[in-house]
Amino acid sequence: MPIVLITESLLLRNTATDGRILRDRMLSGFFVRMHARRRTFRVATSVKGRQFRLTLGYWPLMSVHDARARAMVVLAQCR
């Protein structure tokens, strides 16, 4: 799972369609899953020793900036 800075231009030019996960270099726990028809923003962390995952939204309906901001809120609530 590559760790990259997730940006709008990265999502535009990346042609991965195999469900690949790109983890964000800026925010630990925030990632995007690259499918053939959509890009899914997700967050993953642990809460009280249990794994927690949440789908934040889909690109381009949600921008990378909005998804990262929402991920920060979710991660802060989990901690």
Side-chain angles (χ1 to χ4, degrees), residues 28-39:
S28 178
F30 174 59
F31 63 95
V32 64
R33 184 175 289 267
M34 309 291 282
H35 290 287
R37 297 196 177 173
R38 65 173 140 188
R39 311 297 192 228

Side-chain angles (χ1 to χ4, degrees), residues 2-77:
I3 299 174
V4 298
L5 181 62
I6 298 172
T7 61
E8 298 286 336
S9 63
L10 174 74
L11 296 179
L12 275 172
R13 71 175 187 262
N14 196 322
T15 59
T17 60
D18 56 357
R20 183 176 310 173
I21 292 174
L22 300 177
R23 297 200 176 276
D24 192 39
R25 183 176 21 163
M26 185 183 295
L27 182 60
S28 178
F30 174 59
F31 63 95
V32 64
R33 184 175 289 267
M34 309 291 282
H35 290 287
R37 297 196 177 173
R38 65 173 140 188
R39 311 297 192 228
T40 307
F41 295 115
R42 300 198 69 197
V43 66
T45 188
S46 61
V47 179
K48 297 180 183 176
R50 299 194 62 165
Q51 191 173 26
F52 173 79
R53 290 181 185 239
L54 178 71
T55 299
L56 301 170
Y58 305 101
W59 182 83
L61 299 175
M62 177 182 274
S63 71
V64 173
H65 177 74
D66 293 340
R68 190 177 284 120
R70 187 162 179 208
M72 281 192 247
V73 171
V74 170
L75 289 170
Q77 289 174 345

